Structures are given as structure tokens and as C-alpha cells.
Amino acid sequence: MKAVPQDILESLGAEIILGNTYHLYLRPGHELIRGLGGLHKFISWPRAMLTDSGGFQVFSLAALRKVSDEGVRFRSHLDGSSHFFTPEHSMDVQIALGADIAMAFDECTEYPAERGRAEESLRLTMAWARRSLDHFKAHRDEVVWREELGGQTQNLFGIVQGGMYTDLRKACAERLVEMEFDGYAIGGLSVGEPRALTLEMIAEVLPLLPKDKPRYVMGVGYPDEIEQYARMGVDMMDCVLPTRAARHGLLFTSEGRLNIKARRYAEDQGPPDPECSCAVCRRYSRAYLRHLMQAGEALSATLNTIHNLAYYLGVMARVRQDLEAERTAS
Amino acid sequence: MKAVPQDILESLGAEIILGNTYHLYLRPGHELIRGLGGLHKFISWPRAMLTDSGGFQVFSLAALRKVSDEGVRFRSHLDGSSHFFTPEHSMDVQIALGADIAMAFDECTEYPAERGRAEESLRLTMAWARRSLDHFKAHRDEVVWREELGGQTQNLFGIVQGGMYTDLRKACAERLVEMEFDGYAIGGLSVGEPRALTLEMIAEVLPLLPKDKPRYVMGVGYPDEIEQYARMGVDMMDCVLPTRAARHGLLFTSEGRLNIKARRYAEDQGPPDPECSCAVCRRYSRAYLRHLMQAGEALSATLNTIHNLAYYLGVMARVRQDLEAERTAS
């Protein structure tokens, strides 16, 4: 996690973190990580982890992408070297990394996309889902910590795509459920579409996904979004927003969004969020956090991120409590 | 402290930290900090603090410096704005910041310096020491926390200069002691001279400084240096080395210096220092710390700095223990 040490993430109550397959594949390399006992050991994180398939970063960061039915050829954004990712290769890399949850290799359909383009993209994602699952099943026993954990292996999630076409989305969800993944993600959202459309896609797809397996919406969102989706039945979400925004000085607070770089906080002795009890809000003033950003101090990213993570984890803790109370009452 | 939050500094056992007057004067400004209750409150650091006089950074960072008997005119390295620092102004700024220890405004003589240049520089430093002390005495009651702390005020230290000429150094020390500062620093060392010369200057000057007041050598040093000087009777030292080196990947360990960027640590599962019990050595491998540096992750600076500070504080803890044991035995 950028700028925050693992022990602080633990004390914040983070139960799972995400590793980027594309980045780790390029540097330090998945074979190195496998050799060191897997990603948990490499970064010293004993709690749960998830790796993405690498596809999203290949499509958003890498250069000279060439997609075929077989897979994606691309050049590294680091050194321009040429690489070829297939569903099978994504599985091999993710098995080497050894996160608790691996993701099927998919193509994230861009927005907006014509129906023909969305259909073609979905065809690829479905074929790749099948190949991901087959390869994963054939090799899941190879995860480096299997013996240590009494034969336990990783979990593979399928990813629902289909652009903004509900019939494509539904067809995709149904076929993925037939394939029997360990969990199901809804991908290709939060790619520039209006929020009402995001919501519609989730609302249409969610009922088709089994309740007794994790249901995961990828790449969302703002605090009110994650609360809304969680109350609809989404179990997992991931997003760079709380950490990336923190590094740019945007804090999420009980009073709304706060741009800590703003001149008006220069002499503000109050905590970033008066209702927050995180280590940052208990100790530091808005004036100090603003100064750290103005001075370009690395500590700024650390403190802002700790607060935003505390805020997000606080939102989810409250939602869980509410849902538990509703269940008890009913 | 760059890249390390205050609560971690506390848990490392740091008892005093240094604030740079030049930087704080330019940004966020000493009047803003005074208005917020002083530097301790501004950065939320309840333990001891020291501010330098601003002189060293004016001479090393600022542009277009013009030195006169009156003071130094210079341009900010941030925005090119013109500023004038005098001994009186340095005192005013340091009183506004309100650290426990303030330093007299001096000129740090460069190395090498001809005798005539060292004499002239020392003449300036002596005149400025007198003016610093007079102005400090006249205004020390203005420190913002005075009433809160039952009338307590800051301490002002004088700084021994004189280049690498022992007779100039001794004459300076004697005259500063006559002026009766609250403590005495030896400045103008570790500016490029051979270490034997550093040692000689300290050895010659130290006996002239009162034992019952803090004796402070500025700008040193490597772990073996600070141990050596502490055993000679030096009470305080300051240096960017442990933190700056950490940010560049140089770790101080019981086995010597370790360049964590080196290829040979890429798969090294051992801790940075096998004999160290700091939070970083207990949790992370050399392989992971190397990866963080290679990937340009901010977390690298944080973890490396925590270890180096733990190492330095460990050196000093051991020296203190030894000195205490010697005292008890004799």
C-alpha cells in the first residue's frame, strides 16, 4: 500500500489488500516472489490478499497493445520490453504470487462502446474466463504455501463484463455462474459512465450472482457509493480513490470532501475530521497537514492516506453494523 | 522528520528533534507558527526541540547571498524573494518558533579557509553571538508558551567557530563562555575536512566548555563518530546522515553499511540487520526493502529511516549505558 507501513494497515483494521499482477510481474517478477514464499511472505502481510488479472493495467498502462483471441501482446511501461499475456499466463503469474483470491483474465470494455464492440469484447472475456478456470484448476495445487496450509489453495473469481448493455451483462453473469467460480466480480464499471448507469448495471447483475459466494464490484468508489452498493448486497469493492486522493490532498471527512491544500486551512488548528478518531485526526491539525503538502513532504502522503483509509474502513464498519442490526431485528 | 510520523519517533525513543529555522521562516512562516502556539504545537511534538539559527541553510541553500557586519541578504531558494537575516532577526524568528533550544546566529566558515578568512569569519561570528545573546535576553519572555509553562523560557546556545585553527577555536570558546550561554556548540565541522582534523578541533575545544552545561557538536556524523565524540564528553549531536542516507538506500547495521539497492539483496530473506530489533528488522526482508526502492515507493523512505534512527538511537543508548556503568564502577 503506497506510503503506509503494514503494521499501520493492521491497526486500522484492513482485512484484505490488493496486489497488482501487472506491476509485480514486471518488477520484481513473479518467479522471484514465488521463490520467496509468495506475496504474503514477500511483503509481510499475514492477512488476506487479492491479485487482479493484470489485464486492467495492461490496457491502461502498457504501450503498443495487440489483442488477439490468444491473448495480449504489449510493451512494458518501464523499459519497453515486449510481453505476452494469455489467460493461462495470468493464472501462472497469479499462482506464483499466491494471493488468497485470483481473478480471471478479462478485457475491460471501454466506455462508451458500441453494441458490436461490447459483444466482441464480451466474447473474448467469456472465452478467457473458461481458459482461466481450466488452467487454474489444473495448476492450483502448485501454490507455494499449499503444504504449509494443509492443502489449502487459492480462490478464482470470474468477472462479469458486457459494457453498459444489461442483456449482455446478464448473459455473461449466467454463464459464469454455470462455470462455478469461487466468487464473482462485476468489472468494467467506473470507467467514465454516469453513476446512474453504474448503479443500473450492478442492480441488474447482482441478483444473478449466488448469495453464498463473494460478490465483488471492481474499481469503486466514493464513500457514499460503496455504502450504497454494500447495502445492495455487494460484499467486496476495491478502489485507488482513498489512497490516490490522499496523495493529492483530498481528504474524505464526515463533513464532506476537504482539499487540505486550500489556503483557508493554513491556520486551522482543528483536526482534519472533527468526528474521526483515527491516529491522524487525534494528533495533527489541518494547518500542519496543509503545510506538509505545501512543502512537498513525503509524510503528507502517509498521514493523508492513513486518515482516508480510516474513513473508508469506518464507513464499511458502520454498514456492517447496520446490516447486522437489521438481520437481528427481522 | 522526513517520512516518519511523530508517534513512531516517540516509540523509537527520540527525545529531541531539530527544526530548520530557514525552511520554517520561508514556509509556512514563523508568525503563522507563533500564532498556532509555537512549533511544538504546530507539529504535535511534546518532547524537546532545537532550532538552528538559519545561518547554515542561508549559506548552503539560498541564492545571491551578501554578507555584511549587519547580517546576510539573500534570495529564497523557493521563489527568489529577497530576505535579510540579522542576529536579531534570527532570534525573533526562533523565539516565534519557540523550540526549547535556540542557536546564536553565526557564519559557518567554509573548508578550506585561509587564516585571514577564518579570522574575519570568526570576528563576525563573535559579534553576532553578542548581538544574538543581547537580543535573546531582551525578548526571551515573549515565547508564546511562557505563561502556560509557569514562566519557563527558551535556552540559547553559543557556537564555537574558527575554521581549522585551534588557537582561533580556543579563543572563541573562552569568549563565548564568558558571555554565559545556556549551552555551547562546536560548529563549522564536518564541512569536508579530514576526520582527524574534526577530532582534533573537538578535542581542543571541549575541555574549555563547562561540563555542567550541554556541549553540542553540530553536523556529525557516522555511527562510530558519534560514539567516539560521546565518549569524549559531547552531550549532543545532530546530523542529516541517518535520515538522508536512508532515503538513498544506505542502511547502518551491526555488520556495517548496507546499500539496500544492491542486486545481491534481491532475494535475501534476512532482515536488514540480524542484530536489530526495530519494527522494520522484525518484519521486513532485505528483498522487500530493495524492491520498494527499485519501484520508487515512498514507503521505502519511511521504513529505511525508521531502521537508521533505531540504529543511531541504539548506539547512543549503549554509550549512555557504558558511561553510567563506568561512573558506578569508579
Side-chain angles (χ1 to χ4, degrees):
Chain A
M1 183 75 71
K2 283 193 182 294
V4 181
Q6 277 72 316
D7 59 324
I8 296 181
L9 295 176
E10 284 176 348
S11 68
L12 283 168
E15 292 175 12
I16 178 167
I17 62 177
L18 188 153
N20 282 119
T21 294
Y22 171 81
H23 289 296
L24 294 168
Y25 159 78
L26 290 178
R27 188 175 53 193
H30 57 292
E31 289 301 351
L32 183 146
I33 291 176
R34 189 211 305 270
L36 296 177
L39 195 50
H40 292 87
K41 278 197 184 159
F42 179 60
I43 74 165
S44 185
W45 178 257
R47 300 186 184 177
M49 297 196 81
L50 178 150
T51 46
D52 57 20
S53 70
F56 186 78
Q57 266 82 23
V58 166
F59 289 104
S60 61
L61 287 178
L64 295 172
R65 289 177 309 280
K66 192 160 180 261
V67 183
S68 64
D69 276 12
E70 181 57 17
V72 191
R73 178 159 300 281
F74 62 93
R75 289 194 180 276
S76 159
H77 73 291
L78 295 176
D79 62 4
S81 55
S82 179
H83 301 266
F84 191 54
F85 252 63
T86 63
E88 291 77 14
H89 187 53
S90 171
M91 293 305 105
D92 288 338
V93 173
Q94 289 188 76
I95 290 167
L97 296 176
D100 304 83
I101 301 171
M103 302 300 296
F105 194 63
D106 65 331
E107 188 186 60
C108 179
T109 313
E110 67 282 2
Y111 177 84
E114 298 291 338
R115 183 166 178 102
R117 158 68 193 143
E119 281 174 350
E120 175 54 24
S121 174
L122 181 57
R123 186 189 63 78
L124 208 57
T125 285
M126 294 307 306
W128 288 357
R130 181 76 258 169
R131 285 165 56 192
S132 293
L133 186 59
D134 290 347
H135 195 81
F136 179 77
K137 281 182 175 168
H139 296 276
R140 64 191 302 169
D141 282 351
E142 295 165 15
V143 69
V144 66
W145 39 256
R146 185 176 182 274
E147 289 204 18
E148 203 175 321
L149 294 189
Q152 198 178 314
T153 61
Q154 299 171 272
N155 301 281
L156 184 67
F157 285 19
I159 305 177
V160 178
Q161 293 284 354
M164 300 300 155
Y165 302 94
T166 53
D167 60 327
L168 296 185
R169 289 263 174 196
K170 286 178 171 178
C172 179
E174 281 164 3
R175 286 171 56 195
L176 289 176
V177 171
E178 285 165 16
M179 290 188 212
E180 293 193 18
F181 283 90
D182 300 311
Y184 299 91
I186 308 179
L189 295 180
S190 213
V191 291
E193 79 281 8
R195 189 162 153 186
L197 214 45
T198 320
L199 186 62
E200 186 190 343
M201 294 302 127
I202 297 172
E204 293 285 343
V205 170
L206 209 54
L208 302 176
L209 303 177
K211 267 192 157 175
D212 59 345
K213 289 185 173 175
R215 301 187 293 189
Y216 166 26
V217 174
M218 303 181 83
V220 292
Y222 283 96
D224 60 323
E225 276 183 290
I226 64 169
E227 172 160 0
Q228 183 176 24
Y229 305 150
R231 291 186 190 279
M232 290 166 67
V234 172
D235 301 299
M236 296 169 60
M237 286 166 272
D238 80 282
C239 200
V240 295
L241 186 55
T243 52
R244 181 175 290 166
R247 296 196 298 279
H248 289 96
L250 184 68
L251 302 181
F252 295 99
T253 79
S254 59
E255 298 171 343
R257 299 180 208 169
L258 186 155
N259 177 4
I260 197 65
K261 296 193 298 294
R263 183 73 190 83
R264 67 179 171 285
Y265 300 124
E267 302 182 39
D268 188 333
Q269 307 201 47
D273 182 351
E275 306 218 342
C276 179
S277 61
C278 82
V280 174
C281 288
R282 282 200 313 270
R283 180 152 198 163
Y284 304 103
S285 66
R286 292 172 173 180
Y288 181 59
L289 295 185
R290 175 180 189 271
H291 167 65
L292 289 180
M293 282 228 64
Q294 291 293 112
E297 287 292 335
L299 186 55
S300 163
T302 301
L303 299 181
N304 291 351
T305 303
I306 291 172
H307 168 75
N308 275 0
L309 289 177
Y311 187 80
Y312 266 66
L313 290 163
V315 167
M316 290 307 295
R318 184 164 47 77
V319 171
R320 274 194 209 97
Q321 211 168 23
D322 288 355
L323 294 179
E324 186 57 35
E326 283 170 28
R327 181 158 42 207
T328 314
S330 67
Chain B
M1 183 74 70
K2 283 193 183 294
V4 181
Q6 278 72 317
D7 59 325
I8 296 182
L9 294 176
E10 284 176 348
S11 67
L12 283 168
E15 293 175 10
I16 179 166
I17 62 176
L18 187 153
N20 280 121
T21 295
Y22 170 81
H23 289 296
L24 294 167
Y25 159 78
L26 289 178
R27 186 174 58 191
H30 57 292
E31 288 301 351
L32 183 147
I33 291 176
R34 190 212 304 271
L36 296 176
L39 194 51
H40 292 86
K41 279 197 183 159
F42 179 59
I43 74 164
S44 187
W45 179 256
R47 300 185 185 178
M49 297 196 80
L50 177 150
T51 46
D52 57 19
S53 71
F56 187 78
Q57 266 81 24
V58 165
F59 288 104
S60 60
L61 287 178
L64 295 172
R65 290 175 308 279
K66 192 159 181 263
V67 183
S68 63
D69 276 12
E70 181 57 16
V72 190
R73 179 160 299 281
F74 62 93
R75 288 192 181 279
S76 158
H77 73 293
L78 296 176
D79 63 3
S81 55
S82 180
H83 301 266
F84 192 55
F85 252 63
T86 62
E88 291 77 15
H89 187 54
S90 171
M91 293 304 106
D92 287 340
V93 173
Q94 290 188 77
I95 290 167
L97 297 175
D100 305 82
I101 301 171
M103 301 299 297
F105 193 64
D106 66 331
E107 187 185 58
C108 178
T109 313
E110 68 282 2
Y111 177 83
E114 298 289 337
R115 183 167 178 103
R117 160 67 193 144
E119 280 174 350
E120 175 54 24
S121 175
L122 181 58
R123 186 188 64 77
L124 208 57
T125 285
M126 294 307 307
W128 287 357
R130 181 76 257 168
R131 283 165 56 191
S132 293
L133 185 60
D134 290 346
H135 195 81
F136 179 77
K137 280 183 176 167
H139 296 275
R140 64 191 303 168
D141 281 351
E142 294 166 15
V143 69
V144 67
W145 40 256
R146 186 174 182 275
E147 288 203 17
E148 204 174 319
L149 294 188
Q152 200 179 312
T153 60
Q154 299 170 272
N155 300 281
L156 183 67
F157 285 20
I159 304 177
V160 177
Q161 293 283 356
M164 300 302 156
Y165 301 92
T166 52
D167 61 325
L168 296 185
R169 288 266 174 192
K170 286 179 172 177
C172 178
E174 281 165 1
R175 285 171 56 194
L176 289 177
V177 171
E178 284 167 16
M179 290 187 211
E180 291 192 21
F181 283 90
D182 299 310
Y184 299 91
I186 308 180
L189 295 180
S190 213
V191 290
E193 78 281 8
R195 190 163 151 186
L197 213 46
T198 319
L199 186 62
E200 185 191 341
M201 294 302 127
I202 297 172
E204 293 285 342
V205 169
L206 209 55
L208 302 176
L209 303 177
K211 269 192 155 176
D212 59 344
K213 288 184 174 176
R215 301 186 294 188
Y216 166 25
V217 174
M218 304 182 82
V220 293
Y222 284 96
D224 59 322
E225 275 184 290
I226 65 169
E227 173 160 358
Q228 182 176 25
Y229 305 150
R231 291 187 190 279
M232 289 166 66
V234 173
D235 301 299
M236 297 169 60
M237 287 166 272
D238 79 282
C239 200
V240 295
L241 187 55
T243 53
R244 181 175 290 166
R247 296 196 299 279
H248 289 95
L250 184 68
L251 302 181
F252 295 98
T253 79
S254 59
E255 299 171 342
R257 299 180 207 169
L258 186 156
N259 177 4
I260 197 67
K261 296 195 299 293
R263 183 72 190 84
R264 66 180 173 284
Y265 300 124
E267 302 183 39
D268 188 333
Q269 306 202 49
D273 182 350
E275 306 218 341
C276 178
S277 61
C278 83
V280 175
C281 288
R282 282 200 313 269
R283 180 152 198 164
Y284 304 103
S285 66
R286 291 171 174 181
Y288 181 59
L289 295 185
R290 176 180 189 270
H291 168 65
L292 290 179
M293 282 229 64
Q294 290 294 111
E297 286 293 336
L299 186 54
S300 164
T302 301
L303 298 182
N304 291 351
T305 303
I306 290 172
H307 167 75
N308 274 358
L309 289 177
Y311 187 81
Y312 265 68
L313 290 163
V315 167
M316 290 308 294
R318 185 163 47 75
V319 172
R320 273 193 210 99
Q321 212 168 20
D322 288 355
L323 294 179
E324 186 58 35
E326 283 171 26
R327 181 157 41 208
T328 314
S330 66

